Amino acid sequence: MNEGYTVGQYLVDRLHQLGLDHLFSIAGDYSIEWLNRYVTPSSIEIVAEVNEVNAGYAADGYARLKGIGALCVTYSAGALCAVNAVAGAYVEKVPLVLINGTPSIKKTLTFEQTGFSAHHFISGRETDQQSFEHITVATVRIDNPDLAPLLIDHALTRCVSERRPIYVELLEDMVDLACEPPRGVLKPARALSDQSSLEQSVAQICARLESAENPLVWIGVEIDRFGLQEKAMSLIRQLNVPFVTELLSKAVLPEDDAQFFGVLDGQASSAAVADLVKTSDFILGLGVWLTDINSLGWEPDFDKTAFVSMDAVKLGTYFGGQVALEHLIDGILAKQVAPKVWNPPEKPTYSAPAMGAADEITYQGFYNFVQQYIDKNTIVGSDASMNYFGSMLLDVPGPGGFVAQSSYSSIGYIAAAATGICLAKAPHQRVMVFSGDGGFQMTAQCLSTQTRFKLNPVIFVIDNGVYGVEQWLADSTVFHTDKPFYNSCVLHPWNYSKLSEVFGCRGWKVGTYGELEEAVTGALANSVSPSIIQVLVPGKSIPDNAEWKTQ
């Protein structure tokens, strides 16, 4: 045993080895000693957050770019506030580490055997751990220093292997106890495939690719989560076919590539993508997840679409179980399927539509206007709102340049996630996110953290006064009739731009395109704080590709 080495140091060292440079935290007496004595002197910077859900969203956004994210909270009152953020990371396969500072063994035993309670206790030693068992791939309680290395390594390996959250319960009296130092470097477990299933699946797909005249590759989010971008692009090049993405995987591969055609998301897709899908006689979905967000009133043709995801291959009535996505792509590449003869249409050159400086901003007009400010150095983020539709058709040329939590779709995610995205991005990149007004009200305190740490995202709050997407889902005819919005969808109005005075950043309120241009110019010139731009749009204005449901 190395008497100079402790459990607290072990956890810090393992996190840093996996690439963690920032830890999002909320002060709490059960975790504060670990933060002060071990994290503060390390190369991991503590990002003090304002609440646990914002910390969770920030860590989630950070992990999507860095490959791992972490937050540290205190027992029950803190940890249970983070449940929603952890659940979203679980659904969307985001490698997140929740470290929960926990009362000592003595306090736990005292409560359990005498009823004398320490603060934050609910019903004993397993309350928090059990709460997270269904939304993480590993939950460990560090209550023995000799077992600490084994338990920490197990949980972290599961995190980076399965790309999903883990829960680490760190007892306050464990952090200074001696343990063995780390051995070797943690790495993801190998992907496993059943050889027979793999060979049959490769044969099935290659046969369809060879016989198809107009095949199409549909790139899904697992290509990003498992770092398969280069292999996927190699396959697209070898086959010489067009490819599309889904909203969750938008810009996983560069959108300025000649073979990229657009985002396939049901009836919200562009006319060009809809026509391409209709004329394609075989679609190869690599890492695509079927959700109601990426089907949107459209029924996939399962007889002509192969879905390779969740370690399985589904094509019509064929099912191949235990087939890793990486191995499937390798198998198709090895077969050297003859490339198709495909002449891509010339892509139109973008030019900003003619809009009068005094014209009132519409939802679609905003997105037509903002496109000119998005280049290879821009990371775009969209919240669960009508912004999904507007941002879906934006041109985002930089690979990895789009973030949306579109499967779990927790309203309020993106503004808080921008904190983590800003810390994980490359120095030359700029973060620009689009939030609805209802969503922003849920996590508005993110401006405090971003200002404190001199982060500079540009946050557009589209202010239409309602939960527009909730109304659209429930009764979309409201947007083209005199019918009123549901009372439950009407928001209390905020003067969002004035929050800049509260938090010490910069803010603008705009209602015309001239004002919008001035605000964007000012925001992009602001490098030392967040910029909030309140964009006023009429309540019944919606993006063009959301109109299909209103008819």
Side-chain angles (χ1 to χ4, degrees), residues 1 5-7 10-11 14 142 144-156 178-183 186:
M1 181 74 68
Y5 197 83
T6 64
V7 172
Y10 192 99
L11 182 55
R14 279 307 200 199
I142 310 302
N144 184 307
D146 294 340
L147 297 178
L150 179 66
L151 292 171
I152 291 169
D153 286 1
H154 162 73
L156 289 174
C179 73
E180 293 290 342
R183 296 180 181 179
L186 297 182

Side-chain angles (χ1 to χ4, degrees), residues 441-490:
Q441 287 190 9
M442 295 184 180
T443 53
Q445 305 99 313
C446 65
L447 292 173
S448 175
T449 306
Q450 292 161 4
T451 302
R452 179 179 182 179
F453 288 89
K454 295 182 170 54
L455 307 178
N456 62 352
V458 181
I459 300 174
F460 294 93
V461 178
I462 311 302
D463 182 5
N464 57 7
V466 294
Y467 285 121
V469 72
E470 303 299 340
Q471 178 68 62
W472 183 88
L473 288 167
D475 180 6
S476 58
T477 63
V478 168
F479 291 96
H480 280 308
T481 66
D482 293 332
K483 290 162 60 174
F485 292 111
Y486 291 166
N487 285 339
S488 59
C489 291
V490 177

Side-chain angles (χ1 to χ4, degrees), residues 250-251 255 260 263 350 366-372 374 380-382 387-397 402 432 434:
K250 179 176 172 62
E255 293 193 344
F260 175 69
V263 177
Y350 173 78
F366 167 78
Y367 276 98
N368 291 341
F369 182 88
V370 82
Q371 175 67 74
Q372 63 189 301
I374 297 170
V380 172
S382 181
N387 288 292
Y388 274 175
F389 295 99
S391 63
M392 184 185 301
L393 302 186
L394 283 175
D395 233 354
V396 182
F402 185 82
M432 185 180 290
F434 309 109

Side-chain angles (χ1 to χ4, degrees), residues 169-342:
E169 200 163 276
L170 183 63
L171 273 66
E172 60 179 338
D173 53 340
M174 290 292 114
V175 295
D176 292 329
L177 298 184
C179 73
E180 293 290 342
R183 296 180 181 179
V185 177
L186 297 182
K187 59 183 179 180
R190 290 174 294 148
L192 297 177
S193 293
D194 177 83
Q195 193 61 32
S196 176
S197 288
L198 175 61
E199 291 173 359
Q200 291 175 19
S201 299
V202 169
Q204 288 268 353
I205 290 175
C206 286
R208 294 294 295 269
L209 285 170
E210 288 168 348
S211 64
E213 293 184 6
N214 300 300
L216 170 68
V217 173
W218 189 8
I219 296 295
V221 69
E222 286 187 8
I223 293 295
D224 171 72
R225 297 298 189 262
F226 295 105
L228 301 175
Q229 292 91 333
E230 290 187 12
K231 289 190 176 187
M233 188 55 79
S234 295
L235 181 59
I236 290 166
R237 294 280 187 259
Q238 184 184 102
L239 298 173
N240 190 36
V241 296
F243 73 93
V244 295
T245 58
E246 52 180 337
L247 180 60
L248 190 59
S249 59
K250 179 176 172 62
V252 163
L253 300 180
E255 293 193 344
D256 58 356
D257 189 271
Q259 288 170 258
F260 175 69
F261 226 83
V263 177
L264 171 57
D265 268 277
Q267 293 196 46
S269 309
S270 69
V273 169
D275 289 343
L276 179 65
V277 172
K278 185 177 181 180
T279 58
S280 294
D281 48 1
F282 178 61
I283 300 173
L284 176 56
L286 298 176
V288 170
W289 299 341
L290 278 182
T291 76
D292 55 358
I293 296 295
N294 66 21
S295 57
L296 286 175
W298 166 73
E299 184 70 24
D301 187 337
F302 294 100
D303 290 327
K304 77 171 187 180
T305 307
F307 290 96
V308 186
S309 60
M310 303 292 187
D311 293 322
V313 177
K314 290 83 70 178
L315 172 56
T317 59
Y318 173 77
F319 177 82
Q322 198 181 354
V323 178
L325 177 59
E326 178 180 5
H327 296 162
L328 190 283
I329 296 174
D330 287 340
I332 301 173
L333 284 168
K335 292 295 183 182
Q336 293 287 315
V337 177
K340 301 297 176 180
V341 177
W342 179 67

Side-chain angles (χ1 to χ4, degrees), residues 22-89:
H22 298 85
L23 175 73
F24 301 90
S25 77
I26 304 293
D29 57 335
Y30 294 135
S31 59
I32 201 163
E33 295 304 325
W34 178 68
L35 291 169
N36 288 347
R37 289 208 290 271
Y38 294 100
V39 184
T40 297
S42 77
S43 55
I44 297 175
E45 181 180 3
I46 295 175
V47 181
E49 266 287 3
V50 290
N51 61 52
E52 287 80 7
V53 73
N54 277 27
Y57 289 155
D60 178 296
Y62 184 90
R64 290 176 192 238
L65 271 66
K66 287 282 285 186
I68 191 168
L71 65 153
C72 179
V73 298
T74 200
Y75 197 63
S76 289
L80 298 182
C81 285
V83 165
N84 191 56
V86 175

